[in-house]
Amino acid sequence: MATIGLKDLFYSTITEDSNGDETYGVPQRLAKAISADISINLAEAILYADDGIAESIKEFASGTLTLNVDDIGNDAAADLTGAYIDDNGVLVSTGEGGANILPVAIGFRAKKANGKYRHFWLYRVRFGIPGTTLNTKADSITFQTPTIAGTVMQRNKLDQKGEHPWKTEVTEGDAGVSNNIITEWYDNVYEPEVS
């Protein structure tokens, strides 16, 4: 079913242990969402045999997440872009800031035409430094909002099946989905459970 909305944009900082396995911080609201565009890059291998395709494999390689939001506050900007907040509360971006950009998890939900929501977590996104476009006010008022793009990656931490997830999504009311999964979606970054 098609979606007709986007809201509740959250991020969670990531810390890594000595093996590189991720631990997620408490999710924090990032901003009011205007748009989220996820494009996926696939790694593909085709084996030709007997004058035709014998095998074909397509796997997730990476993706790009482009967010357009109403505003990126200083705390979120520092967590997402490697900038820092000085003693006077000023956000400072440095030329060396790229080395300080750590990946984060990104969560949000999209309303469907039936009124239910589809909820998402992207497990590992490393954002770049957002550009700024400013225009003078003319005869009419035009809002200018920031856009920030990041690379979506699979996480290092293995799930219970021994695989590296990059995204989870769930739709309210689907068979087998408990209400707790939905109501607790932004309390923590969702961890897959497989028996």
Side-chain angles (χ1 to χ4, degrees):
M1 183 173 294
T3 58
I4 58 172
L6 174 68
K7 66 187 300 182
D8 295 333
L9 182 58
F10 282 77
Y11 76 97
S12 175
T13 57
I14 295 174
T15 55
E16 295 180 8
D17 65 16
S18 59
N19 295 325
D21 288 349
E22 297 87 354
T23 301
Y24 300 99
V26 176
Q28 302 174 58
R29 192 168 291 278
L30 195 154
K32 290 183 178 178
I34 296 171
S35 67
D37 180 30
I38 304 169
S39 59
I40 303 304
N41 301 315
L42 298 175
E44 182 177 16
I46 298 174
L47 173 66
Y48 291 91
D50 285 341
D51 295 334
I53 297 176
E55 300 285 340
S56 174
I57 297 176
K58 293 184 180 187
E59 294 182 349
F60 173 82
S62 68
T64 301
L65 171 65
T66 304
L67 296 175
N68 183 221
V69 296
D70 69 332
D71 189 26
I72 299 174
N74 282 359
D75 291 334
D79 287 340
L80 272 56
T81 68
Y84 69 90
I85 301 170
D86 76 1
D87 295 341
N88 295 313
V90 175
L91 183 68
V92 179
S93 299
T94 66
E96 297 80 20
N100 299 325
I101 299 175
L102 300 175
V104 295
I106 297 291
F108 52 89
R109 67 183 181 152
K111 190 173 188 178
K112 296 174 55 171
N114 66 0
K116 304 284 185 179
Y117 283 89
R118 181 175 295 140
H119 301 260
F120 297 84
W121 273 111
L122 300 175
Y123 280 119
R124 192 174 175 91
V125 181
R126 186 182 310 265
F127 285 98
I129 298 171
T132 303
T133 301
L134 304 171
N135 294 307
T136 190
K137 185 170 70 168
D139 293 334
S140 63
I141 297 173
T142 303
F143 288 104
Q144 291 133 45
T145 56
T147 300
I148 186 168
T151 301
V152 179
M153 302 167 276
Q154 68 184 17
R155 71 179 188 178
N156 299 324
K157 183 178 178 182
L158 295 172
D159 66 11
Q160 294 173 337
K161 291 179 64 178
E163 298 177 345
H164 298 92
W166 65 274
K167 175 182 80 164
T168 54
E169 64 181 272
V170 65
T171 300
E172 295 173 9
D174 277 359
V177 176
S178 78
N179 192 45
N180 288 348
I181 295 297
I182 302 303
T183 59
E184 298 171 4
W185 193 254
Y186 301 112
D187 292 348
N188 297 291
V189 175
Y190 179 78
E191 288 289 341
E193 295 180 15
V194 180
S195 54

